[in-house]
Amino acid sequence: VHVSVGNLLRAELRIGSELGKQAAEYMTDGRLLPDALVIDIVLKRLEQDDCAQNGWILDGFPRTHAQAEGLLAAGLSPDAVIVLDRPDEVVKEWCLG
């Protein structure tokens, strides 16, 4: 199951969940979400049956050491990790077209 943090955030905002409301407070001010909030949102998704039965691929998570520790503290450990490392110029071109 593809688990995208961006998609999760948009879904939580759309349904008006408590996690979504907390995220909105940070996002409206242009601030980064605290690691604990991002962890809670991701773990909520990973607890769902489709992830438990089929496995998951995390997209955009973890981005910090604290987020990785939160995943491990929840007893979840990926079988493999892929790191995409691109030069800044390539990323700018990809994002800006």
Side-chain angles (χ1 to χ4, degrees):
V1 177
H2 175 232
V3 178
S4 162
V5 173
N7 289 345
L8 293 179
L9 287 171
R10 285 185 285 281
E12 294 294 330
L13 290 168
R14 188 175 53 253
I15 63 173
S17 71
E18 186 57 38
L19 291 172
K21 290 175 186 174
Q22 290 175 35
E25 292 177 21
Y26 289 90
M27 293 168 74
T28 1
D29 294 340
R31 295 182 291 154
L32 293 175
L33 276 63
D35 288 327
L37 180 56
V38 177
I39 292 165
D40 287 346
I41 290 170
V42 171
L43 292 181
K44 176 183 173 188
R45 179 64 181 97
L46 296 182
E47 291 170 353
Q48 294 176 7
D49 289 339
D50 61 337
C51 286
Q53 293 170 0
N54 302 313
W56 36 264
I57 296 175
L58 298 175
D59 179 353
F61 182 90
R63 289 186 185 261
T64 67
H65 182 76
Q67 290 176 3
E69 289 294 327
L71 191 64
L72 294 175
L76 298 170
S77 178
D79 293 330
V81 175
I82 300 171
V83 177
L84 301 176
D85 189 16
R86 298 180 181 169
D88 289 346
E89 289 307 313
V90 172
V91 174
K92 287 178 189 173
E93 182 180 326
W94 184 77
C95 290
L96 301 175

